[in-house]
Amino acid sequence: MKKLIIINGPNLNLLGKREPNIYGSLSFTEFLDTIIEKYPNVSIEHFQSNIEGELINKVQEVGFSYDGIILNAAAYTHTSVGIGDCVKAIETPVVEVHISNTFGREEFRHQSYISANAKGVILGFGLQSYELAIQSFL
């Protein structure tokens, strides 16, 4: 059984409430329940934090023993050299995910400190971006 973890960064705990025109009206917990049910032969865990250091700690914790990390570092994608360095330092492949098309938003969101060391990047498909990332590990 593949062991995957979805790691979400700041403000993603507000999905379903936050800017529904961009992020939709479904909470991440509701979405996660459907994904876990859809992929019964895959172990899918979830971690969310609004704190950069906690995200780094979690990536380091799982980065040598899981089959894949699906990382939506949210705003830290565009600002955190530390998270980018962490992704580079681990062995577990990382797929960078974004719900929105970051290239269709503010210019500062066009830069990612994660992409260069990720297995791939999926963005702009709403919550389905996570499912596409799961499928990339199967």
Side-chain angles (χ1 to χ4, degrees):
M1 179 180 281
K2 293 264 187 191
K3 190 172 185 178
L4 306 178
I5 185 167
I6 297 169
I7 300 176
N8 279 334
N11 300 311
L12 292 171
N13 56 308
L14 296 177
L15 288 177
K17 300 174 187 171
R18 173 189 178 205
E19 299 174 274
N21 58 317
I22 295 173
Y23 299 103
S25 59
L26 198 63
S27 75
F28 194 80
T29 303
E30 293 167 327
F31 172 73
L32 184 62
D33 289 344
T34 64
I35 289 298
I36 289 172
E37 185 176 315
K38 188 171 183 175
Y39 295 94
N41 296 324
V42 180
S43 171
I44 302 171
E45 298 175 29
H46 174 246
F47 176 81
Q48 189 278 328
S49 179
N50 295 318
I51 302 170
E52 182 179 14
E54 289 180 1
L55 296 170
I56 292 170
N57 287 342
K58 181 54 84 171
V59 170
Q60 289 179 358
E61 176 188 323
V62 302
F64 296 91
S65 58
Y66 281 53
D67 296 304
I69 297 170
I70 298 163
L71 176 60
N72 185 344
Y76 289 136
T77 300
H78 321 293
T79 63
S80 179
V81 173
I83 292 174
D85 285 349
C86 182
V87 169
K88 184 177 183 178
I90 62 169
E91 294 175 358
T92 298
V94 173
V95 172
E96 178 184 344
V97 164
H98 299 284
I99 296 168
S100 67
N101 176 356
T102 57
F103 291 98
R105 298 183 65 194
E106 303 93 338
E107 189 168 333
F108 74 88
R109 296 185 195 275
H110 300 180
Q111 167 70 39
S112 169
Y113 287 100
I114 297 165
S115 297
N117 296 298
K119 170 186 171 186
V121 179
I122 302 169
L123 53 90
F125 293 98
L127 291 173
Q128 188 183 7
S129 296
Y130 292 95
E131 186 171 355
L132 294 169
I134 290 167
Q135 290 173 5
S136 78
F137 288 110
L138 303 181

